Amino acid sequence: MTEHREEATVTRDGNVDDTGAHARSEAAARTGSAAEERAWGELVAAARRTVRDGLVVGTSGNVSVRVGDTVLVTPSGVPYDRLAPDDITCVDLDGRQVLGTLVPTSELPMHLAVYRTTDARAVVHTHAVHATAVSTLVPELPLIHYMAAPLGGPVRVAPYATYGSAELAEHMLRALAGRTGCLLRNHGTITYGATLDQAYDRTAQLEWMCRLWLTASSVPGTAPTLLTPEQLTEVQEKMRGYGQRP
């Protein structure tokens, strides 16, 4: 059975406003469209995969997908293996809940900031171990591998701010300038993409690169070789023709 909670609005400054919740309850409980229901199933599957792949522990991390002018997002504090089709949680781009009764993730300000400023259709936020460790050590992930190219270049680390705050969302946007992913200091990662699969793959690649750099850096008396900006630019050009053609 779905857990029913008072719905809330997350404002642009990151605060929660539950004014008018009763007036909106009927709209929030409506049945989603076929597109929203399909996207919700894909979102829940991706959220469960973050746990299975070791990118999050418990209810840490969150996933969202944009459908038109609405955003489907994982709810706050609910284990992903307990989510059901009628637990669908959806907000508009201003953070007003328009579908569902479960409170959206506390990191909603970050997700909405990405959608308002980029062409993202999906966002993945994790607390991946190696990436979080790197976020405490350097201002950006060194160019240890050419897979930094799909992320737009050297992956920056956004300064620390309290989770769920407007300040964190602002730090994140600056770190994402010209990038599709960044690290969040003492916190985790966030990536986005044109599809949920692309956003997820970027998260997985970022965690892998962080693990690679930590491993190479751990050998006493040596330092890993790094790519030059010119080498990375060459890879970015080459990747424009990567993959299958329709």
Side-chain angles (χ1 to χ4, degrees), residues 42-210:
E42 295 171 353
L43 181 149
V44 171
R48 289 173 177 166
R49 185 181 172 191
T50 63
V51 177
R52 186 171 65 251
D53 290 352
L55 298 175
V56 305
V57 176
T59 61
S60 66
N62 26 79
V63 182
S64 68
V65 176
R66 181 170 179 174
V67 180
D69 290 329
T70 62
V71 175
L72 302 177
V73 63
T74 48
S76 177
V78 180
Y80 299 142
D81 60 358
R82 298 182 191 173
L83 292 177
D86 60 350
D87 290 330
I88 187 169
T89 307
C90 184
V91 301
D92 65 17
L93 294 176
D94 288 321
R96 289 183 291 268
Q97 189 160 357
V98 297
L99 185 64
T101 56
L102 297 182
V103 175
T105 172
S106 58
E107 297 291 12
L108 186 58
M110 279 205 303
H111 289 257
L112 294 181
V114 172
Y115 290 121
R116 292 185 192 121
T117 57
T118 73
D119 58 358
R121 308 305 295 184
V123 175
V124 177
H125 166 53
T126 77
H127 293 180
V129 173
H130 299 93
T132 304
V134 170
S135 80
T136 70
L137 298 171
V138 290
E140 72 176 23
L141 174 65
L143 281 176
I144 190 70
H145 196 274
Y146 65 78
M147 284 309 293
L151 292 166
V155 179
R156 305 183 188 101
V157 178
Y160 178 80
T162 305
Y163 79 92
S165 66
E167 182 182 11
L168 177 59
E170 292 168 2
H171 290 336
M172 173 207 67
L173 285 181
R174 285 193 288 271
L176 281 177
R179 303 290 185 269
T180 57
C182 73
L183 301 177
L184 308 169
R185 179 157 292 142
N186 296 89
H187 187 154
T189 69
I190 191 161
T191 61
Y192 70 86
T195 66
L196 186 53
D197 283 344
Q198 186 180 64
Y200 192 95
D201 287 347
R202 287 170 174 169
T203 294
Q205 287 288 354
L206 178 53
E207 168 67 358
W208 179 82
M209 284 192 294
C210 288

